[in-house]
Amino acid sequence: MLPLKELEPKDRFLALFGQLFPREEWTQSRLEPLLATIHFRKLEAMSTILREGQVCASVPFVIEGSIRVFKTAESGREITLYRIEEGQSCILSSGCGAGISTFPASAVAEKETSAAFLPNGTVRQLFAGGAAFRDFVLDQYSRRMAEIMELVEEIAFRRVDERLVQHLAGLCTGQPMCLIPVTHQELADHVGTSREVVSRILKDWEERGALEISRGSLKLLPAFEKLRM
């Protein structure tokens, strides 16, 4: 069997998502017309997929890479709602095919990303016609809802990021660059939140060049000082 990256887009899609179309639910003659509607796209890093308020006519299923879904305040500040990574899909886009008229956030490819875009009509047919596909969509909803609930908690009982900055800065007093042997769970325990919340904050800081994440440690970079302002 060829490595995933060497397969054709359709075969790569089926290698990751084929379990959503078991033969006992989908005969070849029934499934092929639906698969023929899929549009495969290769997205450059930082390319915009959807802006808030635009109509979304399809649902992305990520084959490789990462898509960030976020909201932007009037001040220009962004807040990440969730990320769609390999083997995952977008629940907000699914909502566009189920009654939401426009996309309520923005979506950008964080890095070079390959994705299969299923038209809303195709998603509705797959959802209605197969239990495995329904289970996948509902599982994605439950996981994303849990992430967003954690985000709401982080915002409402604030500010986890401020406490985290203060704690990390205290471990590196007077040093412009510092390697801290610490796990995300240890940080979460210290600031009183979940590991997932800490991981999301650290990921955002890493993207902003403030630190580097390694297994079991963090390296604070000079740009970390900007987080304290």
Side-chain angles (χ1 to χ4, degrees):
M1 183 176 178
L2 290 173
L4 185 62
K5 289 187 177 183
E6 296 182 19
L7 297 175
E8 292 297 316
K10 179 180 174 182
D11 294 328
R12 295 175 69 188
F13 170 75
L14 290 175
L16 281 172
F17 297 101
Q19 74 276 8
L20 305 184
F21 320 109
R23 291 184 179 180
E24 61 269 23
E25 293 181 5
W26 297 96
T27 62
Q28 195 73 8
S29 60
R30 184 172 170 231
L31 182 61
E32 278 300 326
L34 296 177
L35 295 181
T37 66
I38 297 176
H39 179 53
F40 295 95
R41 294 175 60 187
K42 191 167 186 178
L43 305 158
E44 294 182 358
M46 305 312 297
S47 59
T48 299
I49 300 167
L50 273 173
R51 291 186 173 86
E52 185 170 352
Q54 288 186 320
V55 175
C56 52
S58 59
V59 180
F61 286 68
V62 174
I63 299 171
E64 180 184 10
S66 176
I67 295 173
R68 183 170 73 100
V69 179
F70 61 95
K71 294 279 287 184
T72 305
E74 290 184 5
S75 63
R77 183 178 180 183
E78 298 177 354
I79 183 167
T80 299
L81 300 179
Y82 56 85
R83 288 177 171 83
I84 315 163
E85 299 179 327
E86 182 179 304
Q88 300 177 345
S89 184
C90 179
I91 60 167
L92 287 180
S93 296
S94 300
C96 286
I100 300 175
S101 58
T102 58
F103 198 66
S106 298
V108 170
E110 286 195 294
K111 50 190 173 183
E112 190 174 277
T113 297
S114 296
F117 287 79
L118 279 63
N120 292 338
T122 298
V123 172
R124 285 195 293 268
Q125 291 181 68
L126 291 170
F127 189 88
F133 190 86
R134 276 198 304 277
D135 289 345
F136 171 79
V137 172
L138 294 174
D139 178 69
Q140 293 284 290
Y141 267 104
S142 63
R143 290 174 183 271
R144 299 307 187 195
M145 182 61 69
E147 290 180 28
I148 291 174
M149 288 297 291
E150 288 173 355
L151 181 61
V152 170
E153 178 185 358
E154 176 188 336
I155 294 170
F157 300 109
R158 228 30 184 217
R159 292 199 34 153
V160 174
D161 56 349
E162 291 180 350
R163 298 200 300 273
L164 193 54
V165 164
Q166 183 178 10
H167 178 57
L168 291 175
L171 297 175
C172 288
T173 304
Q175 299 182 53
M177 297 179 67
C178 177
L179 183 65
I180 305 173
V182 67
T183 67
H184 294 195
Q185 186 61 60
E186 289 169 342
L187 290 173
D189 292 342
H190 183 86
V191 299
T193 188
S194 69
R195 180 183 58 80
E196 289 77 14
V197 168
V198 167
S199 295
R200 181 165 53 246
I201 293 172
L202 294 177
K203 177 67 174 176
D204 284 340
W205 288 351
E206 184 177 46
E207 292 167 358
R208 291 158 62 182
L211 51 78
E212 292 178 356
I213 301 173
S214 299
R215 187 175 180 86
S217 66
L218 298 173
K219 183 178 182 180
L220 303 192
L221 303 177
F224 181 83
E225 284 299 309
K226 295 179 181 178
L227 300 177
R228 304 176 66 183
M229 299 177 181

